[in-house]
Amino acid sequence: MSYKAFLKPYRKLALGLTALALLATTSLVRAQPGPTEEPAGPPPAEEAPPASVPTPAPIAVPAISEKEVAAAPPVETQDKPTGVPVRRARYDVAVLQALDKVTAESVRFEAAVGHPVRFGSLVFTVKACERSAPDEAIDDSIAYLTVDSQPRPQPGKPSLAPRQVFKGWMYASSPGLHPLEHPVYDAWLIICRATAPPIAAPAR
């Protein structure tokens, strides 16, 4: 037997297998589903064209006579208060009370505005003395003064320079608000009074 005759049945078998493979591939390709198409919906509704509306004719309004027009009510305006606030009256004398804490000596004395007054080693100088204005809630006396510590000069010894121990306002109704702080003496305001008619306070 020749070699070609031996291979002939195998060649037929190979050709048959190749044909079967091609046939199976073609069937698979045909079996695959194609792309699905969605069903088309109804066509969109067309909008109706706008209707033409005719412009209405203007309405004639009869003229209004002056008699038919009501007069506006008058506007009431309140006058602003023009009163000037009352100033405190100033007095020329301050009545003070002083206490010596060592000897328990207590003295009430008067100090005219601008005139120094001595009590012990203290010298009181009143700069201003006022009373509350009538429109204030509390009736009070207020004095602005300075207090210097200056011992009396001793014979044969040089006099010591004064040393200020207090400067400010004293209130008769509140002696502890601005008290005199001194180891020996204490002092407070009693009242402001006048030896003459009270002096009106200048405009501030």
Side-chain angles (χ1 to χ4, degrees), residues 86 95 99 121 135 169 197:
V86 181
V95 180
L99 171 67
S121 63
D135 58 348
W169 292 93

Side-chain angles (χ1 to χ4, degrees), residues 130-133 138-142 170-174 189-190:
E130 301 177 351
R131 294 283 294 273
S132 300
I138 301 175
D139 184 14
D140 199 3
S141 293
I142 309 101
M170 284 189 177
Y171 297 82
S173 63
S174 304
L189 174 67
I190 300 298

Side-chain angles (χ1 to χ4, degrees), residues 16-99:
L17 292 175
T18 303
L20 287 174
L22 290 174
L23 183 61
T25 305
T26 305
S27 300
L28 287 174
V29 171
R30 290 180 179 177
Q32 289 181 356
T36 58
E37 296 182 0
E38 296 181 359
E46 296 182 359
E47 295 182 0
S52 60
V53 180
T55 305
I59 300 173
V61 180
I64 302 174
S65 63
E66 295 182 359
K67 295 180 179 181
E68 296 176 348
V69 178
V75 180
E76 296 181 0
T77 57
Q78 296 181 353
D79 296 335
K80 295 183 179 180
T82 57
V84 180
V86 181
R87 301 292 184 181
R88 290 177 177 174
R90 290 195 172 183
Y91 296 80
D92 55 358
V93 175
V95 180
L96 302 171
Q97 183 89 16
L99 171 67

